[in-house]
Amino acid sequence: MSFDVVAQQPKLLYLLQGIAAFTAVVCLILAALHRGPVRRRGAAFLLLAPALLLLAVGLLGPGLRTLMLSFMDGEGDAWVGLDNYVWILTDPEALTALRNTLTWVVLVPLLTTAVGLLYAAAVVRSRFRALALSLLLLPMVISFVGAALVWKFVYAYRPAEADQIGLLNQLVVAFGGEPQQWLVESPWNVLFLIVTMVWTQAGFAAVLLAGAIAGVPREMTEAARLDGASPRQIFWRITLPSIRPTLLVVVLAELIATFKAFDVVKTMTGGQFDTGVLAYEMYDQAFRYGQTGRGAALAVLLFVLVTPVVAYQIRAQRRAR
């Protein structure tokens, strides 16, 4: 393995070197601007140089290193070609993580947007609109770990002869049923984890969509009502087409957030019982099992999956302008 100078240096010294290099770049820019008039494009490039430097050091460099490691073995010593990617497509645990990720990607944005849209439509004309939206937005105040702990207690299991501490099993027992291990049975446990994500994100969707619905011109809805349209027809034929750009923003934002799902899985099941996702499997392979190459390959796969979504979002925002 080649000698890694950066890895051998003390972390504090490495940090000081980075600060010194960044300060030197800023000083050079100020000196260049002070010497005399600079063309508009040249000045813009000079002012952007510090940010570009930070992106190169903090994003481009690690990204290229991750790509390189994805073609190497677990220790990063030997070149293994596409073996890590073949492992992703053949290993049962990796395939389960991929399947679960696709399930999350399909269900979370759809359910979150649907719940937020229905809630927003119900409270947007209410006098208590602000209070109602604040209540649904409260779960976003806590972290994903905190939300996962809350729902872990909701799903908590105790034997039938013991007192139930989980809200869901308490309701089941109260109606004469047997307590269930909600987070153990696959594939239903994946759906129960998804509920946690939807609970935390529905408020975000509701706030954005409520603002969009409130912005629909009243003249349009009143005209449709005078023409004999029912509230359902007004909602589907006038309100929804009018708020389509906001709907797209919400779906894409939730889609990107779902690809990064890690905290909920880590806190509630630890990836056991076939609940792993790509982000958690990447963590497991790289830091738990010491398989750096496989972890890097999973990171590259996540990047490849997210990139088209981000590109489409940027393109949609440019069109909206």
PDB file of all heavy atoms in Angstrom, residues 167-185:
ATOM      1  N   LEU A 167     -47.745   1.337  22.545  1.00  0.00           N
ATOM      2  CA  LEU A 167     -49.103   1.824  22.306  1.00  0.00           C
ATOM      3  C   LEU A 167     -49.859   0.921  21.342  1.00  0.00           C
ATOM      4  O   LEU A 167     -51.026   0.591  21.574  1.00  0.00           O
ATOM      5  CB  LEU A 167     -49.035   3.248  21.751  1.00  0.00           C
ATOM      6  CG  LEU A 167     -50.368   3.880  21.333  1.00  0.00           C
ATOM      7  CD1 LEU A 167     -51.311   3.979  22.529  1.00  0.00           C
ATOM      8  CD2 LEU A 167     -50.141   5.246  20.704  1.00  0.00           C
ATOM      9  N   LEU A 168     -49.212   0.480  20.276  1.00  0.00           N
ATOM     10  CA  LEU A 168     -49.899  -0.318  19.270  1.00  0.00           C
ATOM     11  C   LEU A 168     -50.317  -1.672  19.830  1.00  0.00           C
ATOM     12  O   LEU A 168     -51.453  -2.122  19.630  1.00  0.00           O
ATOM     13  CB  LEU A 168     -48.994  -0.497  18.046  1.00  0.00           C
ATOM     14  CG  LEU A 168     -49.644  -1.065  16.791  1.00  0.00           C
ATOM     15  CD1 LEU A 168     -50.872  -0.268  16.394  1.00  0.00           C
ATOM     16  CD2 LEU A 168     -48.650  -1.089  15.640  1.00  0.00           C
ATOM     17  N   ASN A 169     -49.421  -2.327  20.548  1.00  0.00           N
ATOM     18  CA  ASN A 169     -49.778  -3.617  21.141  1.00  0.00           C
ATOM     19  C   ASN A 169     -50.798  -3.455  22.261  1.00  0.00           C
ATOM     20  O   ASN A 169     -51.611  -4.357  22.502  1.00  0.00           O
ATOM     21  CB  ASN A 169     -48.523  -4.318  21.670  1.00  0.00           C
ATOM     22  CG  ASN A 169     -47.851  -5.165  20.604  1.00  0.00           C
ATOM     23  OD1 ASN A 169     -48.513  -5.766  19.767  1.00  0.00           O
ATOM     24  ND2 ASN A 169     -46.528  -5.205  20.617  1.00  0.00           N
ATOM     25  N   GLN A 170     -50.770  -2.345  22.957  1.00  0.00           N
ATOM     26  CA  GLN A 170     -51.774  -2.103  23.994  1.00  0.00           C
ATOM     27  C   GLN A 170     -53.165  -2.011  23.380  1.00  0.00           C
ATOM     28  O   GLN A 170     -54.141  -2.536  23.926  1.00  0.00           O
ATOM     29  CB  GLN A 170     -51.442  -0.807  24.748  1.00  0.00           C
ATOM     30  CG  GLN A 170     -52.403  -0.485  25.889  1.00  0.00           C
ATOM     31  CD  GLN A 170     -52.405  -1.563  26.956  1.00  0.00           C
ATOM     32  OE1 GLN A 170     -51.362  -1.970  27.444  1.00  0.00           O
ATOM     33  NE2 GLN A 170     -53.587  -2.041  27.319  1.00  0.00           N
ATOM     34  N   LEU A 171     -53.263  -1.366  22.217  1.00  0.00           N
ATOM     35  CA  LEU A 171     -54.543  -1.289  21.526  1.00  0.00           C
ATOM     36  C   LEU A 171     -54.979  -2.668  21.038  1.00  0.00           C
ATOM     37  O   LEU A 171     -56.164  -3.015  21.121  1.00  0.00           O
ATOM     38  CB  LEU A 171     -54.426  -0.319  20.350  1.00  0.00           C
ATOM     39  CG  LEU A 171     -54.236   1.162  20.699  1.00  0.00           C
ATOM     40  CD1 LEU A 171     -54.010   1.985  19.445  1.00  0.00           C
ATOM     41  CD2 LEU A 171     -55.442   1.693  21.468  1.00  0.00           C
ATOM     42  N   VAL A 172     -54.022  -3.457  20.527  1.00  0.00           N
ATOM     43  CA  VAL A 172     -54.346  -4.803  20.058  1.00  0.00           C
ATOM     44  C   VAL A 172     -54.876  -5.657  21.206  1.00  0.00           C
ATOM     45  O   VAL A 172     -55.896  -6.360  21.068  1.00  0.00           O
ATOM     46  CB  VAL A 172     -53.109  -5.459  19.414  1.00  0.00           C
ATOM     47  CG1 VAL A 172     -53.370  -6.939  19.130  1.00  0.00           C
ATOM     48  CG2 VAL A 172     -52.733  -4.739  18.129  1.00  0.00           C
ATOM     49  N   VAL A 173     -54.208  -5.609  22.347  1.00  0.00           N
ATOM     50  CA  VAL A 173     -54.628  -6.393  23.509  1.00  0.00           C
ATOM     51  C   VAL A 173     -55.982  -5.910  24.026  1.00  0.00           C
ATOM     52  O   VAL A 173     -56.839  -6.705  24.434  1.00  0.00           O
ATOM     53  CB  VAL A 173     -53.556  -6.306  24.613  1.00  0.00           C
ATOM     54  CG1 VAL A 173     -54.057  -6.924  25.918  1.00  0.00           C
ATOM     55  CG2 VAL A 173     -52.276  -6.996  24.161  1.00  0.00           C
ATOM     56  N   ALA A 174     -56.204  -4.603  24.007  1.00  0.00           N
ATOM     57  CA  ALA A 174     -57.469  -4.044  24.491  1.00  0.00           C
ATOM     58  C   ALA A 174     -58.657  -4.546  23.673  1.00  0.00           C
ATOM     59  O   ALA A 174     -59.769  -4.676  24.195  1.00  0.00           O
ATOM     60  CB  ALA A 174     -57.414  -2.519  24.459  1.00  0.00           C
ATOM     61  N   PHE A 175     -58.431  -4.848  22.401  1.00  0.00           N
ATOM     62  CA  PHE A 175     -59.498  -5.357  21.550  1.00  0.00           C
ATOM     63  C   PHE A 175     -59.485  -6.886  21.462  1.00  0.00           C
ATOM     64  O   PHE A 175     -60.105  -7.466  20.573  1.00  0.00           O
ATOM     65  CB  PHE A 175     -59.388  -4.754  20.152  1.00  0.00           C
ATOM     66  CG  PHE A 175     -59.854  -3.328  20.070  1.00  0.00           C
ATOM     67  CD1 PHE A 175     -58.949  -2.292  20.166  1.00  0.00           C
ATOM     68  CD2 PHE A 175     -61.208  -3.030  19.944  1.00  0.00           C
ATOM     69  CE1 PHE A 175     -59.371  -0.974  20.097  1.00  0.00           C
ATOM     70  CE2 PHE A 175     -61.642  -1.718  19.881  1.00  0.00           C
ATOM     71  CZ  PHE A 175     -60.726  -0.675  19.959  1.00  0.00           C
ATOM     72  N   GLY A 176     -58.731  -7.521  22.365  1.00  0.00           N
ATOM     73  CA  GLY A 176     -58.767  -8.981  22.452  1.00  0.00           C
ATOM     74  C   GLY A 176     -57.776  -9.711  21.576  1.00  0.00           C
ATOM     75  O   GLY A 176     -57.864 -10.940  21.443  1.00  0.00           O
ATOM     76  N   GLY A 177     -56.825  -9.010  20.971  1.00  0.00           N
ATOM     77  CA  GLY A 177     -55.848  -9.650  20.104  1.00  0.00           C
ATOM     78  C   GLY A 177     -54.574 -10.032  20.836  1.00  0.00           C
ATOM     79  O   GLY A 177     -54.419  -9.789  22.043  1.00  0.00           O
ATOM     80  N   GLU A 178     -53.656 -10.659  20.118  1.00  0.00           N
ATOM     81  CA  GLU A 178     -52.365 -11.051  20.665  1.00  0.00           C
ATOM     82  C   GLU A 178     -51.309 -10.006  20.279  1.00  0.00           C
ATOM     83  O   GLU A 178     -51.298  -9.536  19.134  1.00  0.00           O
ATOM     84  CB  GLU A 178     -51.945 -12.415  20.126  1.00  0.00           C
ATOM     85  CG  GLU A 178     -52.781 -13.562  20.634  1.00  0.00           C
ATOM     86  CD  GLU A 178     -52.533 -13.839  22.116  1.00  0.00           C
ATOM     87  OE1 GLU A 178     -51.377 -13.655  22.563  1.00  0.00           O
ATOM     88  OE2 GLU A 178     -53.498 -14.222  22.801  1.00  0.00           O
ATOM     89  N   PRO A 179     -50.423  -9.636  21.200  1.00  0.00           N
ATOM     90  CA  PRO A 179     -49.369  -8.662  20.863  1.00  0.00           C
ATOM     91  C   PRO A 179     -48.456  -9.194  19.765  1.00  0.00           C
ATOM     92  O   PRO A 179     -48.168 -10.392  19.702  1.00  0.00           O
ATOM     93  CB  PRO A 179     -48.621  -8.480  22.186  1.00  0.00           C
ATOM     94  CG  PRO A 179     -48.926  -9.702  22.979  1.00  0.00           C
ATOM     95  CD  PRO A 179     -50.304 -10.124  22.588  1.00  0.00           C
ATOM     96  N   GLN A 180     -48.006  -8.309  18.912  1.00  0.00           N
ATOM     97  CA  GLN A 180     -47.197  -8.675  17.753  1.00  0.00           C
ATOM     98  C   GLN A 180     -45.813  -8.036  17.846  1.00  0.00           C
ATOM     99  O   GLN A 180     -45.649  -6.945  18.397  1.00  0.00           O
ATOM    100  CB  GLN A 180     -47.875  -8.219  16.459  1.00  0.00           C
ATOM    101  CG  GLN A 180     -49.275  -8.761  16.265  1.00  0.00           C
ATOM    102  CD  GLN A 180     -49.300 -10.259  16.069  1.00  0.00           C
ATOM    103  OE1 GLN A 180     -48.433 -10.812  15.386  1.00  0.00           O
ATOM    104  NE2 GLN A 180     -50.285 -10.924  16.663  1.00  0.00           N
ATOM    105  N   GLN A 181     -44.826  -8.738  17.272  1.00  0.00           N
ATOM    106  CA  GLN A 181     -43.483  -8.174  17.159  1.00  0.00           C
ATOM    107  C   GLN A 181     -43.398  -7.435  15.824  1.00  0.00           C
ATOM    108  O   GLN A 181     -42.935  -7.977  14.826  1.00  0.00           O
ATOM    109  CB  GLN A 181     -42.432  -9.277  17.257  1.00  0.00           C
ATOM    110  CG  GLN A 181     -42.471 -10.029  18.580  1.00  0.00           C
ATOM    111  CD  GLN A 181     -41.301 -10.973  18.744  1.00  0.00           C
ATOM    112  OE1 GLN A 181     -40.142 -10.567  18.615  1.00  0.00           O
ATOM    113  NE2 GLN A 181     -41.593 -12.223  19.033  1.00  0.00           N
ATOM    114  N   TRP A 182     -43.823  -6.196  15.825  1.00  0.00           N
ATOM    115  CA  TRP A 182     -44.009  -5.429  14.597  1.00  0.00           C
ATOM    116  C   TRP A 182     -42.713  -5.234  13.821  1.00  0.00           C
ATOM    117  O   TRP A 182     -42.735  -5.171  12.587  1.00  0.00           O
ATOM    118  CB  TRP A 182     -44.629  -4.071  14.923  1.00  0.00           C
ATOM    119  CG  TRP A 182     -45.874  -4.148  15.725  1.00  0.00           C
ATOM    120  CD1 TRP A 182     -46.008  -3.906  17.066  1.00  0.00           C
ATOM    121  CD2 TRP A 182     -47.185  -4.510  15.266  1.00  0.00           C
ATOM    122  NE1 TRP A 182     -47.304  -4.094  17.468  1.00  0.00           N
ATOM    123  CE2 TRP A 182     -48.054  -4.466  16.388  1.00  0.00           C
ATOM    124  CE3 TRP A 182     -47.707  -4.875  14.024  1.00  0.00           C
ATOM    125  CZ2 TRP A 182     -49.414  -4.761  16.287  1.00  0.00           C
ATOM    126  CZ3 TRP A 182     -49.053  -5.159  13.930  1.00  0.00           C
ATOM    127  CH2 TRP A 182     -49.895  -5.105  15.042  1.00  0.00           C
ATOM    128  N   LEU A 183     -41.612  -5.113  14.521  1.00  0.00           N
ATOM    129  CA  LEU A 183     -40.342  -4.810  13.859  1.00  0.00           C
ATOM    130  C   LEU A 183     -39.524  -6.047  13.514  1.00  0.00           C
ATOM    131  O   LEU A 183     -38.375  -5.935  13.087  1.00  0.00           O
ATOM    132  CB  LEU A 183     -39.501  -3.881  14.747  1.00  0.00           C
ATOM    133  CG  LEU A 183     -40.128  -2.519  15.049  1.00  0.00           C
ATOM    134  CD1 LEU A 183     -39.215  -1.700  15.953  1.00  0.00           C
ATOM    135  CD2 LEU A 183     -40.424  -1.756  13.757  1.00  0.00           C
ATOM    136  N   VAL A 184     -40.102  -7.219  13.687  1.00  0.00           N
ATOM    137  CA  VAL A 184     -39.385  -8.472  13.427  1.00  0.00           C
ATOM    138  C   VAL A 184     -39.869  -9.148  12.155  1.00  0.00           C
ATOM    139  O   VAL A 184     -39.072  -9.700  11.383  1.00  0.00           O
ATOM    140  CB  VAL A 184     -39.516  -9.423  14.637  1.00  0.00           C
ATOM    141  CG1 VAL A 184     -38.903 -10.782  14.319  1.00  0.00           C
ATOM    142  CG2 VAL A 184     -38.850  -8.813  15.863  1.00  0.00           C
ATOM    143  N   GLU A 185     -41.159  -9.104  11.923  1.00  0.00           N
ATOM    144  CA  GLU A 185     -41.734  -9.828  10.786  1.00  0.00           C
ATOM    145  C   GLU A 185     -41.475  -9.087   9.476  1.00  0.00           C
ATOM    146  O   GLU A 185     -41.888  -7.937   9.306  1.00  0.00           O
ATOM    147  CB  GLU A 185     -43.241 -10.013  10.998  1.00  0.00           C
ATOM    148  CG  GLU A 185     -43.598 -10.840  12.224  1.00  0.00           C
ATOM    149  CD  GLU A 185     -43.108 -12.261  12.127  1.00  0.00           C
ATOM    150  OE1 GLU A 185     -43.015 -12.781  10.991  1.00  0.00           O
ATOM    151  OE2 GLU A 185     -42.812 -12.861  13.181  1.00  0.00           O
TER     152      GLU A 185
END
